[in-house]
Amino acid sequence: MESLEARSRDVQERTFCKWLNTKLESNGYPAMSSLVKDLSDGVKLIQLMVYVSLGRYNKTPRMRVQKAENVNKALEFITSRGVKLTNIGPEDIIDGNLKLILGMIWTLILRFTIADISEEGLSAKEGLLLWCQRKTEPYKEVDVQDFSTSWSDGLALCALIHCHRPDLLDYDKLDKTDRHGNTRLAFQIAAEHLNIPQLLEVEDLCDTRHPDERSVMTYIASFFHAFSSMDQAETVSRRVEKFAELMQSVWISKNDYERRVRLLLLAWTEMQTSWRASLFTGTYTESRERSAEFSTYKQTVKRAWVTEKQDIATLFGNVQTKLKTYGLREYVPPPNLSLLDVDDAWKALLASEAQRSRAINAEIRQIKETLRKKFAEVANDFEQRLHAISSELTSIDGPLEVQQQSVEQIQTRLPALSETLNYVSEAEAECNAANIEENDYTIFTCQDLEFELELLVQRISKKIAFIDNQIVSRNMTNLTPAQLEQFESTFRYFDKDESNTLNQSEMTAALASLGIVYSDEDMDYIYDQLLQDYGAVSFEAFINLLVEITEDQTSPEQLREAFRGIASDKPYVTELDLRIAHLRTPSIEFLRETMPHTQNETGEPEYDYERWLDDVFA
């Protein structure tokens, strides 16, 4: 990018310097060799303004302030001629800021060489480009689209010369592939026969991918001015041709306007008819589809109509402007096709659109309200049934066998209740599909009710397990109440999943917490035997096992001796003592939670096993 900019800057510096030299030499002043050097004292700038007196100036300035006065005088004059100079001051020229100097000269070229170019209503660059295109149009090898690459083979230059002065070269005999030769020939003929100075070099056009646009424009503008007198002969015929083209374009535009207005009005009428004929089925899915279709219409069809309406108004305005520009009679559209008719039809469409929007929104609101009430009805009814069963469960009383029968009868009603919850879930799914987030008719969600049902199921299971355990406890006449309470609390503690059964590891830990330890082999045998007898280590199986063990092996005094051995005859036992004795972790945790304790001076708990055993065997 830097290389391309530097190359363009070099070409511009050389071209602009030659252009300035043509002005200086035509007025008897010596030519410049360097823009940076020769413009820095302001003398050359002032000499370029010879056609007007700028008063006295420093012709041989030496000091910077003298140079600044000269440059400033020239810049003020340029500005006074309506030339807008941007971002450049005397110091930029004195200090040789080439980029800004080139910009200033380009502004001068535009103002005094290119700005006055006019071709069919276009001026400056666009007018010059159109002039080149018109002149070179008959030449099939030439396609002028810009002031850069279109001139790199020399054919466009040769075509311009041949178009105006066919006596100077034979275009058909040119070697169309000889880019350098064609360019060199055009330069030579222009300089020798047309008095057009050669501002460019052959390599500036032929040896670069992107010839500098400003330099090419400056050179081509010389051709325009050289041939302008010859073009005057074409003015009369072109005037007639231009008027014919104008009238034809107006006729085409009027027909296009009327055709597009008819199509647009017909489309609006058909859309309103379809809206009136559309009926709702009462389902949320269908209503949302209608809403989506309406939104799509507003984002696509309606926007296209808005654009078309504006384009039609612009087209109508362009027709009227053309007619007014040339003093022709104003265009009056046929009946019902004026812009006022279009505006009235548009207002009618907007009114129908608003009515359609209100109808869709009202239908969606009604459907949502119906879905809210439907869900609230099934959810509230389900919660009432849950509450009724819960209250019934709470009020169960009487003998254990009667309570057991009542709870089991309640349990048989749970499957039907779960089935009812499916209806609640379906109703909630319909609400979710309709994007209903609030419901003033109920405070419950399906998740709330699922949670409450799960709690009720657990409560019933626990109630059945509790009654079963109480029946077992009641029948254990060979155990003291304290023993029963201890054994029951131990069972409940190690029944982690509240299934009212113990697996082998839970049973081993429970026995160990009671001071009953067996080898792994013995424990495997006991567990397997209980499974054969009871199907699982239920509370009944656990109690019966403890009855057998306590009747056969354990006495309060034996337990005291065991704890004294673990405590090394201390009246208390510590957690460290229990771990040294290789009690399992669950047993240690149970003893820590149940035995009374105090803390020594180091904050370590000391567990009073004597008091605990007194309480247990009281």
Side-chain angles (χ1 to χ4, degrees), residues 373-389 416-417 420-421 423-424 441-442 444 449 452:
K373 291 180 179 179
K374 176 182 176 181
F375 173 77
E377 182 178 354
V378 294
N380 293 338
D381 178 70
F382 184 85
E383 198 281 333
Q384 290 175 3
R385 293 176 64 181
L386 278 179
H387 180 72
I389 293 176
L417 198 60
T420 303
L421 187 61
Y423 296 113
V424 179
Y441 300 105
T442 184
F444 303 107
L449 299 177
E452 291 188 20

Short mmCIF file of all heavy atoms in Angstrom, two decimals, residues 373-389 416-417 420-421 423-424 441-442 444 449 452:
data_model
loop_
_atom_site.label_atom_id
_atom_site.label_comp_id
_atom_site.label_asym_id
_atom_site.label_seq_id
_atom_site.Cartn_x
_atom_site.Cartn_y
_atom_site.Cartn_z
N LYS A 373 -57.49 -20.74 33.25
CA LYS A 373 -58.59 -21.27 34.06
C LYS A 373 -58.60 -22.79 34.06
O LYS A 373 -58.87 -23.42 35.08
CB LYS A 373 -59.92 -20.73 33.53
CG LYS A 373 -60.11 -19.24 33.76
CD LYS A 373 -61.45 -18.76 33.21
CE LYS A 373 -61.65 -17.26 33.48
NZ LYS A 373 -62.94 -16.77 32.95
N LYS A 374 -58.29 -23.39 32.89
CA LYS A 374 -58.27 -24.84 32.81
C LYS A 374 -57.21 -25.42 33.73
O LYS A 374 -57.46 -26.37 34.49
CB LYS A 374 -58.00 -25.26 31.36
CG LYS A 374 -57.87 -26.77 31.17
CD LYS A 374 -57.55 -27.11 29.72
CE LYS A 374 -57.33 -28.61 29.56
NZ LYS A 374 -56.98 -28.95 28.15
N PHE A 375 -56.00 -24.85 33.67
CA PHE A 375 -54.93 -25.36 34.54
C PHE A 375 -55.27 -25.13 36.01
O PHE A 375 -55.06 -26.01 36.85
CB PHE A 375 -53.60 -24.67 34.21
CG PHE A 375 -52.50 -25.03 35.17
CD1 PHE A 375 -51.86 -26.25 35.09
CD2 PHE A 375 -52.12 -24.16 36.19
CE1 PHE A 375 -50.86 -26.60 35.98
CE2 PHE A 375 -51.13 -24.50 37.09
CZ PHE A 375 -50.49 -25.72 36.98
N ALA A 376 -55.76 -23.94 36.33
CA ALA A 376 -56.08 -23.64 37.72
C ALA A 376 -57.13 -24.61 38.27
O ALA A 376 -57.04 -25.04 39.43
CB ALA A 376 -56.59 -22.20 37.83
N GLU A 377 -58.09 -24.97 37.45
CA GLU A 377 -59.15 -25.88 37.91
C GLU A 377 -58.59 -27.24 38.27
O GLU A 377 -58.88 -27.77 39.34
CB GLU A 377 -60.20 -26.01 36.80
CG GLU A 377 -61.38 -26.90 37.19
CD GLU A 377 -62.43 -26.99 36.10
OE1 GLU A 377 -62.30 -26.27 35.09
OE2 GLU A 377 -63.37 -27.78 36.25
N VAL A 378 -57.77 -27.83 37.36
CA VAL A 378 -57.23 -29.17 37.65
C VAL A 378 -56.18 -29.11 38.75
O VAL A 378 -56.08 -30.04 39.58
CB VAL A 378 -56.65 -29.81 36.38
CG1 VAL A 378 -57.76 -30.06 35.37
CG2 VAL A 378 -55.56 -28.94 35.76
N ALA A 379 -55.37 -28.03 38.80
CA ALA A 379 -54.33 -27.93 39.83
C ALA A 379 -54.94 -27.74 41.21
O ALA A 379 -54.54 -28.41 42.17
CB ALA A 379 -53.39 -26.75 39.51
N ASN A 380 -55.92 -26.85 41.33
CA ASN A 380 -56.56 -26.63 42.63
C ASN A 380 -57.30 -27.87 43.09
O ASN A 380 -57.29 -28.22 44.29
CB ASN A 380 -57.53 -25.45 42.54
CG ASN A 380 -56.80 -24.13 42.31
OD1 ASN A 380 -55.62 -24.01 42.62
ND2 ASN A 380 -57.49 -23.15 41.77
N ASP A 381 -57.96 -28.57 42.17
CA ASP A 381 -58.67 -29.81 42.53
C ASP A 381 -57.70 -30.87 43.02
O ASP A 381 -57.96 -31.57 44.00
CB ASP A 381 -59.44 -30.31 41.31
CG ASP A 381 -60.16 -31.63 41.60
OD1 ASP A 381 -61.14 -31.61 42.37
OD2 ASP A 381 -59.72 -32.68 41.09
N PHE A 382 -56.54 -30.98 42.34
CA PHE A 382 -55.55 -31.97 42.75
C PHE A 382 -55.01 -31.65 44.14
O PHE A 382 -54.85 -32.55 44.97
CB PHE A 382 -54.40 -31.99 41.74
CG PHE A 382 -53.37 -33.05 42.01
CD1 PHE A 382 -53.54 -34.34 41.54
CD2 PHE A 382 -52.23 -32.77 42.75
CE1 PHE A 382 -52.60 -35.33 41.80
CE2 PHE A 382 -51.29 -33.76 43.02
CZ PHE A 382 -51.47 -35.04 42.53
N GLU A 383 -54.74 -30.37 44.40
CA GLU A 383 -54.22 -29.98 45.70
C GLU A 383 -55.24 -30.27 46.80
O GLU A 383 -54.87 -30.69 47.91
CB GLU A 383 -53.85 -28.50 45.69
CG GLU A 383 -52.91 -28.07 46.81
CD GLU A 383 -53.63 -27.87 48.14
OE1 GLU A 383 -54.84 -27.56 48.10
OE2 GLU A 383 -53.00 -28.04 49.20
N GLN A 384 -56.52 -30.05 46.51
CA GLN A 384 -57.57 -30.34 47.50
C GLN A 384 -57.61 -31.83 47.82
O GLN A 384 -57.80 -32.22 48.97
CB GLN A 384 -58.91 -29.84 46.97
CG GLN A 384 -59.03 -28.32 46.93
CD GLN A 384 -60.33 -27.86 46.30
OE1 GLN A 384 -61.18 -28.68 45.94
NE2 GLN A 384 -60.49 -26.55 46.15
N ARG A 385 -57.45 -32.67 46.80
CA ARG A 385 -57.44 -34.13 47.03
C ARG A 385 -56.23 -34.52 47.86
O ARG A 385 -56.32 -35.38 48.76
CB ARG A 385 -57.44 -34.85 45.70
CG ARG A 385 -58.74 -34.66 44.90
CD ARG A 385 -58.68 -35.30 43.54
NE ARG A 385 -58.54 -36.76 43.63
CZ ARG A 385 -58.44 -37.57 42.58
NH1 ARG A 385 -58.46 -37.03 41.35
NH2 ARG A 385 -58.32 -38.86 42.74
N LEU A 386 -55.07 -33.90 47.55
CA LEU A 386 -53.88 -34.16 48.38
C LEU A 386 -54.12 -33.78 49.82
O LEU A 386 -53.78 -34.53 50.76
CB LEU A 386 -52.68 -33.37 47.83
CG LEU A 386 -51.91 -33.94 46.65
CD1 LEU A 386 -50.79 -32.99 46.27
CD2 LEU A 386 -51.33 -35.31 46.98
N HIS A 387 -54.70 -32.60 50.01
CA HIS A 387 -54.96 -32.12 51.37
C HIS A 387 -55.94 -33.03 52.11
O HIS A 387 -55.76 -33.30 53.31
CB HIS A 387 -55.51 -30.70 51.31
CG HIS A 387 -55.80 -30.11 52.65
ND1 HIS A 387 -54.82 -29.71 53.53
CD2 HIS A 387 -57.00 -29.86 53.29
CE1 HIS A 387 -55.36 -29.25 54.64
NE2 HIS A 387 -56.69 -29.33 54.51
N ALA A 388 -56.95 -33.52 51.38
CA ALA A 388 -57.93 -34.40 52.01
C ALA A 388 -57.28 -35.70 52.47
O ALA A 388 -57.54 -36.18 53.59
CB ALA A 388 -59.08 -34.67 51.04
N ILE A 389 -56.42 -36.27 51.61
CA ILE A 389 -55.75 -37.53 51.97
C ILE A 389 -54.79 -37.29 53.13
O ILE A 389 -54.69 -38.10 54.07
CB ILE A 389 -55.01 -38.10 50.76
CG1 ILE A 389 -56.01 -38.54 49.69
CG2 ILE A 389 -54.13 -39.28 51.16
CD1 ILE A 389 -55.38 -39.03 48.41
N ALA A 416 -54.16 -43.78 41.36
CA ALA A 416 -55.17 -42.94 40.69
C ALA A 416 -54.81 -41.46 40.83
O ALA A 416 -55.03 -40.66 39.90
CB ALA A 416 -56.55 -43.21 41.28
N LEU A 417 -54.24 -41.10 41.98
CA LEU A 417 -53.85 -39.71 42.19
C LEU A 417 -52.69 -39.33 41.25
O LEU A 417 -52.67 -38.22 40.70
CB LEU A 417 -53.43 -39.52 43.65
CG LEU A 417 -53.41 -38.07 44.17
CD1 LEU A 417 -54.79 -37.44 44.07
CD2 LEU A 417 -52.93 -38.05 45.62
N THR A 420 -54.03 -38.66 37.89
CA THR A 420 -54.64 -37.33 37.80
C THR A 420 -53.58 -36.25 37.59
O THR A 420 -53.81 -35.25 36.91
CB THR A 420 -55.44 -37.03 39.07
OG1 THR A 420 -56.42 -38.05 39.26
CG2 THR A 420 -56.14 -35.69 38.97
N LEU A 421 -52.41 -36.46 38.17
CA LEU A 421 -51.33 -35.48 38.03
C LEU A 421 -50.90 -35.33 36.56
O LEU A 421 -50.42 -34.27 36.16
CB LEU A 421 -50.13 -35.88 38.89
CG LEU A 421 -48.98 -34.87 38.97
CD1 LEU A 421 -49.48 -33.56 39.57
CD2 LEU A 421 -47.83 -35.43 39.80
N TYR A 423 -52.90 -35.17 34.06
CA TYR A 423 -53.77 -34.15 33.47
C TYR A 423 -53.29 -32.74 33.83
O TYR A 423 -53.36 -31.82 33.02
CB TYR A 423 -55.21 -34.36 33.94
CG TYR A 423 -55.81 -35.67 33.49
CD1 TYR A 423 -56.13 -36.67 34.40
CD2 TYR A 423 -56.06 -35.91 32.15
CE1 TYR A 423 -56.67 -37.88 33.98
CE2 TYR A 423 -56.61 -37.11 31.72
CZ TYR A 423 -56.91 -38.10 32.63
OH TYR A 423 -57.45 -39.28 32.21
N VAL A 424 -52.81 -32.61 35.08
CA VAL A 424 -52.26 -31.33 35.50
C VAL A 424 -51.04 -30.97 34.65
O VAL A 424 -50.87 -29.84 34.20
CB VAL A 424 -51.89 -31.35 36.99
CG1 VAL A 424 -51.30 -30.01 37.41
CG2 VAL A 424 -53.10 -31.69 37.83
N TYR A 441 -55.34 -17.40 38.95
CA TYR A 441 -56.40 -18.30 39.41
C TYR A 441 -55.85 -19.42 40.28
O TYR A 441 -56.62 -20.20 40.85
CB TYR A 441 -57.15 -18.89 38.22
CG TYR A 441 -57.80 -17.85 37.35
CD1 TYR A 441 -57.25 -17.51 36.11
CD2 TYR A 441 -58.95 -17.19 37.76
CE1 TYR A 441 -57.83 -16.54 35.31
CE2 TYR A 441 -59.53 -16.21 36.97
CZ TYR A 441 -58.98 -15.90 35.74
OH TYR A 441 -59.56 -14.95 34.95
N THR A 442 -54.54 -19.55 40.41
CA THR A 442 -53.96 -20.58 41.26
C THR A 442 -52.56 -20.16 41.67
O THR A 442 -51.91 -19.36 40.98
CB THR A 442 -53.89 -21.93 40.53
OG1 THR A 442 -53.39 -22.94 41.43
CG2 THR A 442 -52.99 -21.87 39.31
N PHE A 444 -50.40 -22.71 42.44
CA PHE A 444 -49.66 -23.96 42.32
C PHE A 444 -49.10 -24.13 40.92
O PHE A 444 -49.67 -23.66 39.94
CB PHE A 444 -50.56 -25.16 42.65
CG PHE A 444 -51.17 -25.09 44.02
CD1 PHE A 444 -52.52 -24.82 44.18
CD2 PHE A 444 -50.40 -25.28 45.16
CE1 PHE A 444 -53.10 -24.74 45.43
CE2 PHE A 444 -50.96 -25.21 46.42
CZ PHE A 444 -52.32 -24.93 46.56
N LEU A 449 -47.04 -29.52 42.93
CA LEU A 449 -47.93 -30.65 43.23
C LEU A 449 -47.19 -31.98 43.18
O LEU A 449 -47.48 -32.88 43.96
CB LEU A 449 -49.10 -30.65 42.23
CG LEU A 449 -49.97 -29.37 42.27
CD1 LEU A 449 -51.05 -29.44 41.21
CD2 LEU A 449 -50.60 -29.19 43.66
N GLU A 452 -45.46 -32.19 46.49
CA GLU A 452 -46.38 -32.52 47.58
C GLU A 452 -46.83 -33.98 47.50
O GLU A 452 -46.99 -34.64 48.54
CB GLU A 452 -47.60 -31.59 47.53
CG GLU A 452 -47.27 -30.14 47.87
CD GLU A 452 -48.52 -29.29 48.01
OE1 GLU A 452 -49.60 -29.87 48.21
OE2 GLU A 452 -48.41 -28.06 47.92
#
